[in-house]
Coordinates of all heavy atoms in Angstrom, one line a residue:
S358 N 19.2 8.1 -6.3 CA 20.5 8.3 -7.0 C 20.3 9.2 -8.2 O 19.1 9.4 -8.7 CB 21.0 6.9 -7.5 OG 20.1 6.4 -8.5
A359 N 21.4 9.7 -8.8 CA 21.3 10.6 -9.9 C 20.6 9.9 -11.1 O 19.7 10.5 -11.8 CB 22.7 11.1 -10.3
E360 N 20.8 8.6 -11.3 CA 20.2 7.9 -12.4 C 18.7 7.8 -12.2 O 17.9 8.1 -13.1 CB 20.9 6.5 -12.5 CG 20.6 5.8 -13.8 CD 21.2 4.4 -13.8 OE1 22.0 4.1 -12.9 OE2 20.8 3.6 -14.7
D361 N 18.3 7.4 -11.0 CA 16.9 7.3 -10.7 C 16.2 8.7 -10.8 O 15.1 8.8 -11.3 CB 16.7 6.8 -9.3 CG 16.6 5.3 -9.2 OD1 16.3 4.6 -10.3 OD2 16.8 4.7 -8.1
R362 N 16.9 9.7 -10.3 CA 16.3 11.0 -10.4 C 16.1 11.5 -11.8 O 15.1 12.1 -12.1 CB 17.2 12.0 -9.6 CG 16.6 13.4 -9.4 CD 17.4 14.4 -8.6 NE 18.0 13.6 -7.5 CZ 19.4 13.5 -7.4 NH1 20.2 14.0 -8.3 NH2 19.8 12.8 -6.4
A363 N 17.0 11.2 -12.7 CA 16.8 11.5 -14.1 C 15.6 10.9 -14.7 O 14.8 11.5 -15.4 CB 18.1 11.1 -14.9
D364 N 15.4 9.6 -14.3 CA 14.1 8.9 -14.8 C 12.9 9.6 -14.2 O 11.9 9.8 -14.9 CB 14.2 7.4 -14.3 CG 15.1 6.6 -15.2 OD1 15.5 7.1 -16.3 OD2 15.6 5.6 -14.7
L365 N 13.0 9.9 -12.9 CA 11.8 10.5 -12.3 C 11.5 11.9 -12.9 O 10.3 12.2 -13.1 CB 12.2 10.8 -10.8 CG 11.1 11.5 -10.0 CD1 9.9 10.6 -9.6 CD2 11.7 12.0 -8.7
L366 N 12.5 12.7 -13.2 CA 12.3 14.0 -13.8 C 11.6 14.0 -15.1 O 10.9 14.9 -15.5 CB 13.6 14.8 -13.9 CG 14.3 15.1 -12.5 CD1 15.5 16.1 -12.7 CD2 13.3 15.7 -11.5
R367 N 11.7 12.8 -15.8 CA 11.0 12.7 -17.1 C 9.5 12.6 -16.9 O 8.8 12.9 -17.8 CB 11.5 11.5 -17.8 CG 12.9 11.6 -18.3 CD 13.3 10.5 -19.3 NE 14.7 10.5 -19.5 CZ 15.5 9.6 -19.0 NH1 15.0 8.6 -18.3 NH2 16.8 9.7 -19.1
V368 N 9.1 12.1 -15.7 CA 7.7 12.0 -15.5 C 7.0 13.0 -14.5 O 5.8 13.1 -14.4 CB 7.3 10.5 -15.0 CG1 7.6 9.5 -16.1 CG2 8.0 10.2 -13.7
M369 N 7.9 13.8 -13.9 CA 7.3 14.8 -13.0 C 7.0 16.1 -13.7 O 7.8 16.4 -14.7 CB 8.3 15.1 -11.8 CG 8.2 14.1 -10.7 SD 9.4 14.5 -9.4 CE 8.4 15.7 -8.4
P370 N 6.0 16.8 -13.3 CA 5.7 18.1 -14.0 C 6.9 19.1 -13.9 O 7.4 19.3 -12.8 CB 4.5 18.6 -13.3 CG 4.0 17.6 -12.4 CD 5.1 16.6 -12.2
P371 N 7.3 19.7 -15.1 CA 8.4 20.6 -15.0 C 8.2 21.8 -14.1 O 9.1 22.3 -13.5 CB 8.5 21.1 -16.5 CG 7.8 20.1 -17.3 CD 6.8 19.4 -16.4

Side-chain angles (χ1 to χ4, degrees):
S358 67
E360 194 184 347
D361 270 340
R362 190 175 319 114
D364 286 339
L365 175 77
L366 294 187
R367 289 192 195 107
V368 294
M369 276 180 88

